[in-house]
Amino acid sequence: MQGVLANSEKEGDLEEEKQTFSQRLPSIFKEALSIIKGVFWYIIIGIGIGAMMHGFIPTGFFETYISKDNPFAVPIAVILGIPMYSNAAGVLPIIQVFVQKGIPIGTAIAFMMAVVGLSIPEATMLKKVMTWKLIAIFFGVVAICIIISGYVFNLIL
């Protein structure tokens, strides 16, 4: 009897937790605001690093170090892409310029994937659900996969 009573109490708790979307809205906004507060400065720092790279790195820097003549171009492109913060649509004009300047398509794609997939704000958001060790493993695995795919695209295209 006690097991049946415990089950009915649990079902009663579940019924009380059912809320409409409008009832959930305040908690949704509260959670979104806490996430924004947690990553705000990291986003600003990432944007600042990207702006400094844009303003202070010489014009031919990327073409020199991530050209098709450099066998380490793909890993360098991935490392250069990590501090930048953008979405795929925001980085596409940069990729277009890289390809027009003669940078191999695989290297350009590796750079794009690093900018979008590996960033300080992303690590901060992942910190809410993962430990730093898991985040480091995630970044390592993703970086290795990006590098491999960059080399593969360079071979194919």
Side-chain angles (χ1 to χ4, degrees), residues 48-59:
I49 291 170
M52 286 184 357
M53 287 174 71
H54 177 71
F56 294 110
I57 293 179
T59 307

Side-chain angles (χ1 to χ4, degrees), residues 87-97 112:
N87 60 10
V91 79
L92 281 176
I94 297 169
I95 301 307
Q96 180 183 9
V97 170
M112 179 182 75

Side-chain angles (χ1 to χ4, degrees), residues 60-86:
F61 176 82
F62 287 106
E63 292 87 2
T64 302
Y65 292 104
I66 59 175
S67 66
K68 61 179 123 185
D69 300 332
N70 187 352
F72 300 108
V74 175
I76 291 170
V78 171
I79 291 168
L80 290 174
I82 290 173
M84 299 179 77
Y85 180 72
S86 181

Side-chain angles (χ1 to χ4, degrees), residues 33-55:
L33 187 60
S34 72
I35 291 171
I36 290 170
K37 284 180 181 179
V39 299
F40 177 77
W41 288 111
Y42 295 103
I43 292 172
I44 296 300
I45 290 168
I47 291 170
I49 291 170
M52 286 184 357
M53 287 174 71
H54 177 71

